[in-house]
Amino acid sequence: MSTTTKNTQATKTVSQGESRYGSPEPQIEIRLPKGTSHRFVSAALHKLAAEVELATPERERWIVQTESFYDARGRVYLELSDATPAEAERGMALLKKLVG
């Protein structure tokens, strides 16, 4: 399941990704207009990651990570501590709440 929102600068899509080890990774992928500079993409990812960090309850032990891609897109994802279905659901709920 994914949720997508648009504004004038970026498209944000919430989805359940998967790590290279097969663990769930709740994520928000952002896509910016073609030609957007790498610095702007990086700044957008850092800003979004900060919003996720600030919204994360103290009891959660996941790590908020960012990954930038070459074509004006990137993602903020949660590296889950236990990778249980319950933890993944909590992470997805938080990201969906942030994206709206």
Side-chain angles (χ1 to χ4, degrees), residues 7-98:
N7 64 27
T8 58
Q9 294 183 341
T11 299
K12 298 177 185 174
T13 303
V14 177
S15 64
Q16 182 71 55
E18 189 174 279
S19 76
R20 64 181 132 185
Y21 306 108
S23 302
E25 281 184 348
Q27 65 183 8
I28 302 171
E29 183 176 344
I30 64 167
R31 291 180 181 270
L32 294 135
K34 189 175 183 175
T36 301
S37 74
H38 173 74
R39 285 197 192 281
F40 191 88
V41 173
S42 180
L45 288 169
H46 285 294
K47 182 178 176 186
L48 183 57
E51 291 172 10
V52 174
E53 287 282 13
L54 290 169
T56 297
E58 287 292 322
R59 71 179 179 279
E60 297 296 355
R61 298 181 318 176
W62 58 58
I63 299 169
V64 179
Q65 302 280 19
T66 64
E67 184 176 18
S68 182
F69 304 115
Y70 67 91
D71 56 351
R73 65 185 181 95
R75 71 182 185 129
V76 173
Y77 64 97
L78 304 179
E79 189 176 298
L80 302 177
S81 64
D82 297 323
T84 63
E87 185 182 30
E89 286 177 27
R90 292 192 308 273
M92 285 293 292
L94 176 82
L95 298 182
K96 286 178 182 178
K97 183 178 177 182
L98 285 175

